[in-house]
Amino acid sequence: MAELITGPDGAVVDGVLRLGADGSLTVEGYSVRTTSTPAGLRYDVLTPDGTEFSWTAPRAVAQRTLILGGARSGKSTEAERLLAGHPDTLYVATGGDGESDPEWADRIARHRARRPATWGLAETIDLVPLLDSPGPPLLVDCLTLWLARTMDAHDIWADSSRVTEVEQAIEDLAQAWTRTTRLVVAVSNEVGSGVVPADPGTRLFRDLMGRLNTTIAHYSTSVLLCTAGRTTAL
């Protein structure tokens, strides 16, 4: 009887047909059909004795992935898809709990509803300790809200001379991102593609957002761009 054995490096059918994330070798008598799915490459195998097997090779996730995109571009969904195979993922929400904003609370509730029930949750902008500590994969959603709340914490909107404090926070985050031993995916917005903001505070936020994205991207092992629900590797 035909046999399928799976392991960390792939799967083997009858000891001769090897399947993996990058494809398989042709073996006489075995029919193999492959389909790309959100979870990875799926194999449908028909063996010489008529046995049918179906197996999916999980997609590999880079150690440090930054996902960029505009509003409603699909970036959060892509981040969740990348870590769907990790039931112990810790979701790091940087936008607060929405207690004072019903519309924001509704957004948060919809995000929670679509995440796996096994995922943990941390609501914080104190990202450096999380990145520096060992543990399960992190999904940081998102760096844009981290920046806005960091600017709030330094009262930069009222006094732009404190910009150096925010720049230091960006550098501290980047260094922690570089040295982390965790698998980590972060989501961030591209905000500089539209019109020039009319007020200096928003212009400063736009400029800092671009600097933050550029810095984190430089230290990432993978950078993805989401546009209209489509994902492109940069």
Side-chain angles (χ1 to χ4, degrees):
M1 178 177 289
E3 181 181 43
L4 172 70
I5 299 176
T6 63
D9 298 323
V12 179
V13 180
D14 294 341
V16 295
L17 177 64
R18 298 184 179 276
L19 315 174
D22 298 324
S24 65
L25 297 176
T26 301
V27 176
E28 186 176 355
Y30 292 80
S31 173
V32 181
R33 185 175 73 252
T34 59
T35 306
S36 181
T37 73
L41 190 63
R42 190 184 76 216
Y43 291 94
D44 294 300
V45 179
L46 178 64
T47 69
D49 69 2
T51 303
E52 295 181 351
F53 291 115
S54 181
W55 177 77
T56 300
R59 292 186 185 275
V61 181
Q63 184 187 356
R64 298 184 303 278
T65 298
L66 174 64
I67 303 180
L68 302 169
R72 293 293 190 267
S73 61
K75 57 189 183 297
S76 291
T77 301
E78 177 65 13
E80 292 162 11
R81 185 191 67 77
L82 283 178
L83 292 174
H86 297 270
D88 57 345
T89 294
L90 179 63
Y91 186 95
V92 184
T94 61
D97 57 12
E99 183 180 14
S100 61
D101 186 338
E103 189 272 338
W104 189 249
D106 180 64
R107 287 179 180 235
I108 293 172
R110 282 186 274 117
H111 270 253
R112 286 176 177 168
R114 76 184 187 209
R115 295 198 299 265
T118 59
W119 283 13
L121 173 66
E123 296 179 335
T124 182
I125 62 169
D126 196 8
L127 303 183
V128 171
L130 284 173
L131 291 167
D132 278 344
S133 62
L138 300 177
L139 195 167
V140 180
D141 196 356
C142 64
L143 294 182
T144 308
L145 292 171
W146 173 87
L147 176 61
R149 294 183 66 196
T150 299
M151 292 174 70
D152 288 343
H154 291 278
D155 199 21
I156 197 173
W157 309 102
D159 184 358
S160 60
S161 68
R162 298 191 180 101
V163 66
T164 55
E165 298 174 13
V166 178
E167 290 173 335
Q168 184 60 54
I170 291 174
E171 179 61 24
D172 292 344
L173 175 61
Q175 291 304 315
W177 177 265
T178 302
R179 63 180 177 257
T180 189
T181 59
R182 294 190 191 233
L183 180 66
V184 59
V185 176
V187 174
S188 192
N189 284 267
E190 277 292 345
V191 301
S193 299
V195 298
V196 177
D199 64 280
T202 308
R203 287 196 296 272
L204 178 59
F205 172 77
R206 178 203 60 178
D207 292 347
L208 288 172
M209 190 72 255
R211 191 173 307 166
L212 172 60
N213 286 344
T214 299
T215 303
I216 296 297
H218 178 74
Y219 293 115
S220 296
T221 48
S222 176
V223 181
L224 306 176
L225 176 66
C226 288
T227 306
R230 300 297 181 94
T231 304
T232 305
L234 300 180

